[in-house]
């Protein structure tokens, strides 16, 4: 009954969206649909061509990897048989201030995977609270793992996830894992799907230079409908982008929810230092530590150390998402601030590694991350300026174009295997505009960081003048960049 009700609501949503598009089309002048007219609907500018070309390229590459290249890789891996088995698997879980029900789901799935995978396995629990240790011991006793599965606790101070990871990596180092051992790093709100360990760990034998790989994500959101759809859309987009980058073995993040590394990587002192105490020397803001973004630090460290990165699309995890605010607008902005800040803090120094290390496609993608904060706003800004100066028809044409293109993009996302919903076209556009504004804001404030779950912020203990200078120079640069952008568009229009 619930499925039928959900299906009817979805169908009603799609019908409403299509009717809205038709009404918008009827409100436009007929000249808009005349191919000989100067304001023909499908006239796309140079910036539009660039943006849609990048999207199309990611889609083609992602589809190629998902349906042709990856199945071929999988057949090659199957021929290796037991020769691809690791000597030992470490499943390291970091958890802090996560509700008990979620923690129980996570550790139950991890212990069960350790039992089912068939490899010698150690479950490493990097925890802060004694209550988590008691919960894990209780689950361990109930599931009763065989002798080949061990349990190791690492008690850490509640000073952040980076410290938790570093303590765990050092605990694994003390066990002296050999060349064929692997380490899965699992977040405290990640429930492992059945068979995920067996689907991920053998790839290191097929690709000797892959230092780390990551997995497909699905989510359960403890929030409202829009927040749930927003997260699910994000994971569908992520899936195709990951597949696209995996074609070059240059996946751009080692997702903190679950990634797998060679043991010799996570026991490397340079890698541990990168994850534990990563920092940036900024020309205006000075030196500051990275509070968030351990997944980006681990990726950058792998690139710097000369490793490749990979993505396993049929190895799935399920994350339990707890929005930081009840309001969708506030929660999405908080999460965007953290995610985009992590991207931009790594972006410039990653580009300095150069095409010889990153490859030309990865270099273009990283460069586009810096441009997209402005190009995503260009269409809306031009439409508003043109509607104010000439006719409201320009804004209506733009809205129709957005409605049609986002509908097409949503339908294309269905190829990812993730479910699509009628709210996706609107959420896609929300992400484009609000995401670009958040990127611009955070680009000039890279030192401002905060965790959404723990609600902690980076405190640099700066002198009063330095704080004042950083604050006002950030405001001045934001205002100047925005003014130049708007003035340029007004001059062109």
């Amino acid at each position: 009954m619930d499925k039928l009700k959900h299906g009817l609501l979805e169908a009603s949503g799609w019908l409403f969206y299509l009717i809205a598009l038709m009404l918008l089309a009827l409100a436009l002048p007929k000249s808009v649909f005349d191919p000989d007219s100067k304001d023909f609907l499908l006239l796309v500018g140079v910036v539009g061509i660039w943006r849609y070309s990048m999207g199309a390229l990611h889609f083609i590459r992602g589809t190629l990897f998902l349906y042709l290249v990856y199945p071929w890789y999988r057949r090659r891996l199957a021929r290796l048989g037991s020769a691809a088995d690791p000597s030992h698997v470490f499943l390291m879980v970091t958890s802090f201030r996560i509700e008990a029900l979620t923690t129980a789901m996570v550790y139950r799935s991890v212990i069960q995977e350790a039992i089912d995978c068939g490899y010698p396995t150690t479950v490493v629990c990097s925890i802060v609270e004694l209550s988590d240790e008691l919960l894990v011991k209780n689950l361990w006793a109930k599931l009763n793992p065989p002798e080949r599965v061990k349990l190791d606790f690492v008690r850490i101070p509640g000073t952040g996830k980076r410290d938790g990871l570093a303590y765990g990596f050092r605990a694994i180092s003390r066990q002296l894992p050999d060349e064929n051992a692997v380490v899965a790093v699992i977040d405290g709100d990640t429930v492992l799907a059945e068979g995920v360990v067996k689907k991920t760990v053998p790839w290191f034998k097929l690709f000797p230079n892959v230092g780390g790989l990551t997995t497909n994500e699905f989510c359960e959101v403890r929030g409202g409908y829009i927040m749930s759809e927003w997260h699910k859309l994000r994971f569908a987009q992520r899936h195709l982008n990951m597949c696209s980058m995996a074609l070059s073995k240059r996946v751009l993040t080692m997702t903190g929810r679950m990634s797998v590394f060679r043991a010799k990587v996570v026991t490397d002192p340079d890698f541990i230092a990168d994850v534990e105490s990563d920092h940036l020397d900024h020309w205006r803001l000075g030196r500051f530590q990275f509070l968030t973004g351990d997944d980006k630090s681990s990726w950058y460290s792998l690139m710097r150390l000369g490793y490749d990165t990979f993505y396993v699309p049929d190895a799935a995890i399920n994350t339990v998402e707890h929005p930081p605010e009840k309001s969708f607008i506030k929660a999405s902005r908080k999460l965007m601030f953290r995610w985009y800040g992590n991207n931009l803090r790594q972006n410039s120094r990653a580009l300095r590694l150069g095409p010889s290390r990153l490859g030309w496609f990865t270099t273009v993608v990283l460069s586009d991350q810096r441009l997209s904060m402005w190009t995503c706003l260009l269409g809306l800004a031009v439409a508003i300026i043109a509607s104010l100066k000439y006719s409201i028809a320009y804004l209506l044409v733009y809205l129709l174009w957005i409605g049609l293109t986002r509908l097409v993009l949503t339908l294309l996302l269905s190829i990812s295997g993730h479910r699509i919903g009628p709210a996706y076209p609107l959420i896609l556009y929300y992400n484009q505009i609000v995401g670009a504004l958040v990127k611009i804001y955070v680009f000039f404030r890279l030192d401002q960081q905060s965790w959404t779950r723990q609600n902690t912020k980076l405190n640099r203990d700066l002198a009063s003048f330095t704080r004042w200078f950083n604050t006002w120079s950030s405001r001045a640069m934001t205002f100047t960049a925005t003014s130049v952008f708007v003035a340029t568009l007004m001059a062109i229009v």
Side-chain angles (χ1 to χ4, degrees):
M1 189 56 122
D2 287 339
K3 287 186 178 180
L4 178 60
K5 184 179 178 181
H6 182 75
L8 289 173
L9 287 173
E10 294 267 296
S12 300
W14 284 114
L15 183 60
F16 178 80
Y17 186 83
L18 293 173
I19 289 173
L21 285 183
M22 288 188 282
L23 291 174
L24 185 57
L26 290 171
L28 293 171
K30 290 183 180 180
S31 63
V32 169
F33 302 99
D34 179 6
D36 296 324
S37 172
K38 63 181 180 182
D39 55 356
F40 179 54
L41 178 63
L42 297 181
L43 183 64
V44 182
V46 173
V47 174
I49 292 173
W50 165 260
R51 288 192 56 241
Y52 287 110
S53 296
M54 285 298 296
L57 192 56
H58 270 305
F59 178 79
I60 293 168
R61 285 171 54 93
T63 305
L64 181 64
F65 175 82
L66 189 59
Y67 293 103
L68 291 177
V69 176
Y70 181 73
W72 176 61
Y73 283 158
R74 197 165 50 189
R75 289 192 293 271
R76 288 175 56 193
L77 183 65
R79 287 197 289 269
L80 292 178
S82 60
D85 291 349
S87 58
H88 199 96
V89 175
F90 294 89
L91 301 178
M92 190 181 90
V93 186
T94 58
S95 56
F96 179 48
R97 290 183 183 170
I98 296 173
E99 65 175 32
L101 179 61
T102 301
T103 301
M105 290 168 58
V106 170
Y107 278 103
R108 181 181 294 276
S109 72
V110 171
I111 297 169
Q112 194 61 56
E113 272 299 291
I115 296 170
D116 295 343
C117 71
Y119 307 127
T121 306
T122 301
V123 177
V124 181
C125 308
S126 184
I127 58 175
V128 177
E129 287 101 348
L130 177 62
S131 58
D132 286 345
E133 181 175 340
L134 296 175
L135 187 152
V136 173
K137 286 181 176 178
N138 185 46
L139 286 171
W140 190 268
K142 286 182 179 179
L143 294 172
N144 191 26
E147 280 292 316
R148 61 176 174 78
V149 181
K150 308 295 182 185
L151 180 63
D152 187 16
F153 286 101
V154 181
R155 294 295 296 274
I156 60 172
T159 50
K161 185 180 176 184
R162 287 180 178 273
D163 287 341
L165 291 171
Y167 275 72
F169 292 158
R170 292 191 182 102
I172 293 170
S173 300
R174 290 192 287 272
Q175 298 193 34
L176 302 176
D178 63 24
E179 286 281 317
N180 296 317
V182 297
V183 179
V185 180
I186 303 158
D187 209 354
D189 55 5
T190 301
V191 180
L192 305 187
E194 185 178 347
V196 69
V197 172
K198 295 203 75 168
K199 289 178 180 178
T200 52
V201 297
W203 289 98
F204 293 100
K205 276 292 176 66
L206 184 65
F207 300 125
N209 200 50
V210 166
L213 57 84
T214 194
T215 52
N216 195 359
E217 287 188 42
F218 296 87
C219 64
E220 175 189 338
V221 182
R222 304 289 169 84
Y225 172 76
I226 296 298
M227 179 57 71
S228 177
E229 294 296 281
W230 185 70
H231 274 90
K232 290 171 183 175
L233 168 62
R234 174 175 169 260
F235 287 133
Q237 290 178 298
R238 171 191 179 274
H239 183 55
L240 279 178
N241 285 336
M242 288 284 195
C243 287
S244 170
M245 299 310 300
L247 199 61
S248 308
K249 294 190 181 67
R250 286 294 181 274
V251 175
L252 293 179
T253 181
M254 290 290 98
T255 308
R257 299 304 178 82
M258 180 183 173
S259 291
V260 188
F261 301 87
R262 293 183 185 276
K264 70 175 183 180
V265 169
V266 302
T267 57
D268 186 326
D270 287 341
F271 181 84
I272 296 175
D274 282 343
V275 173
E276 182 180 29
S277 55
D278 203 0
H279 63 274
L280 186 66
D281 290 305
H282 193 271
W283 67 274
R284 177 173 56 85
L285 302 171
R287 171 174 288 200
F288 54 88
Q289 296 292 120
F290 290 173
L291 179 65
T292 63
D294 54 275
D295 52 349
K296 293 293 182 183
S297 295
S298 57
W299 170 78
Y300 174 74
S301 188
L302 288 171
M303 289 294 102
R304 188 176 61 81
L305 294 171
Y307 290 102
D308 296 334
T309 55
F310 192 62
Y311 178 64
V312 185
D314 59 357
I317 58 172
N318 298 283
T319 60
V320 183
E321 303 288 343
H322 297 86
E325 299 280 352
K326 290 183 179 179
S327 164
F328 166 71
I329 301 294
K330 290 181 180 179
S332 60
R333 278 172 42 215
K334 273 192 174 183
L335 291 168
M336 286 179 182
F337 183 84
R338 177 161 64 88
W339 297 335
Y340 295 151
N342 294 339
N343 277 337
L344 292 170
R345 276 185 285 275
Q346 296 290 353
N347 186 282
S348 59
R349 66 178 186 175
L351 281 170
R352 285 198 290 271
L353 293 174
S356 60
R357 176 71 197 102
L358 297 173
W360 281 105
F361 181 72
T362 306
T363 302
V364 170
V365 170
L366 290 173
S367 300
D368 184 60
Q369 286 180 355
R370 300 173 75 85
L371 293 172
S372 64
M373 69 182 81
W374 301 106
T375 57
C376 285
L377 294 175
L378 190 141
L380 177 61
V382 169
I384 291 173
I385 294 170
S387 66
L388 293 173
K389 189 171 183 179
Y390 301 110
S391 167
I392 192 66
Y394 285 95
L395 183 58
L396 296 177
V397 169
Y398 173 75
L399 292 176
L400 181 60
W401 172 254
I402 290 298
L404 291 170
T405 53
R406 272 49 187 181
L407 176 60
V408 172
L409 291 175
T410 297
L411 296 175
L412 290 176
L413 281 175
S414 64
I415 203 169
S416 69
H418 289 245
R419 186 194 62 79
I420 61 173
Y424 279 25
L426 297 177
I427 299 174
L428 277 170
Y429 189 61
Y430 172 84
N431 285 346
Q432 175 185 325
I433 301 302
V434 177
L437 293 173
V438 172
K439 277 185 183 178
I440 291 170
Y441 181 86
V442 75
F443 181 74
F444 297 107
R445 297 163 180 81
L446 292 177
D447 59 329
Q448 294 185 19
Q449 306 162 61
S450 64
W451 277 108
T452 48
R453 185 190 303 131
Q454 289 86 11
N455 198 26
T456 55
K457 295 184 178 181
L458 178 68
N459 182 10
R460 300 175 64 192
D461 293 324
L462 298 175
S464 58
F465 174 79
T466 306
R467 274 201 312 273
W468 176 87
F469 174 79
N470 286 355
T471 299
W472 283 98
S473 63
S474 294
R475 291 174 180 173
M477 294 195 72
T478 306
F479 176 78
T480 302
T482 305
S483 299
V484 170
F485 176 71
V486 174
T488 302
L489 293 184
M490 290 184 72
I492 292 172
V493 172

